[in-house]
């Protein structure tokens, strides 16, 4: 994969707010189980405390993470995802990713704006 393809893959992965919120969380925590990650993203998206996210709200987002978001982030090299254990790791992301997230975070990260 050449650098142009990598940049395109990362930008496509970052085109979704839930994926960006997941990356902000993983930057801080290093790793998380899919349900934990989805719960935090749901809380940030709905601007409410994490303990107020219901299972009914969470189920569709977990499915979206399992079948879409995590694959896109993994394919772009942003995360490692073990489908067997359902653990997501922010490990050795492309150098291009961190500067892009640091530019976006002040505008949309719930803990930085």
């Amino acid at each position: 994969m050449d650098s142009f393809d990598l940049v395109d893959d990362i930008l496509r992965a970052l085109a979704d707010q839930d994926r960006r919120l997941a990356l902000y969380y993983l930057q801080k925590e290093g790793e998380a189980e899919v349900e934990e990650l989805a719960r935090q993203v749901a809380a940030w998206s709905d601007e409410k405390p994490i303990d107020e996210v219901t299972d009914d709200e969470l189920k569709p987002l977990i499915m979206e993470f399992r079948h879409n978001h995590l694959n896109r982030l993994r394919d772009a090299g942003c995360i490692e995802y073990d489908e067997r254990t359902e653990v997501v790791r922010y490990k050795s992301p492309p150098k291009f990713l961190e500067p892009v997230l640091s530019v976006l975070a002040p505008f949309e990260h719930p803990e930085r704006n």
Side-chain angles (χ1 to χ4, degrees):
M1 173 183 298
D2 67 29
S3 61
F4 291 114
D5 290 337
L6 177 61
V7 171
D8 287 345
D9 287 347
I10 291 171
L11 291 175
R12 276 191 288 275
L14 294 177
D16 182 89
Q17 182 186 28
D18 287 343
R19 290 194 288 264
R20 293 190 306 275
L21 292 175
L23 287 172
Y24 297 138
Y25 185 72
L26 291 168
Q27 274 184 313
K28 179 181 174 188
E29 299 299 324
E31 70 177 42
E33 291 184 5
V34 173
E35 184 174 333
E36 171 191 352
L37 184 61
R39 188 173 296 277
Q40 182 62 68
V41 168
W44 281 342
S45 293
D46 295 340
E47 298 180 353
K48 62 183 176 182
I50 197 166
D51 59 346
E52 291 182 14
V53 176
T54 68
D55 289 343
D56 287 341
E57 294 170 313
L58 191 59
K59 285 179 187 177
L61 188 56
I62 289 173
M63 294 301 289
E64 187 69 18
F65 268 90
R66 285 180 182 147
H67 297 289
N68 180 11
H69 296 323
L70 296 176
N71 291 326
R72 287 212 183 222
L73 290 170
R74 180 177 48 198
D75 291 348
C78 301
I79 63 163
E80 294 177 358
Y81 171 46
D82 185 332
E83 292 178 29
R84 185 181 50 80
T85 63
E86 293 217 319
V87 172
V88 184
R89 290 180 183 82
Y90 186 80
K91 185 176 178 185
S92 304
K95 291 179 183 178
F96 170 80
L97 180 62
E98 300 242 344
V100 172
L101 290 176
S102 69
V103 168
L104 297 174
F107 299 102
E108 68 177 357
H109 189 304
E111 295 178 351
R112 294 189 190 160
N113 58 20

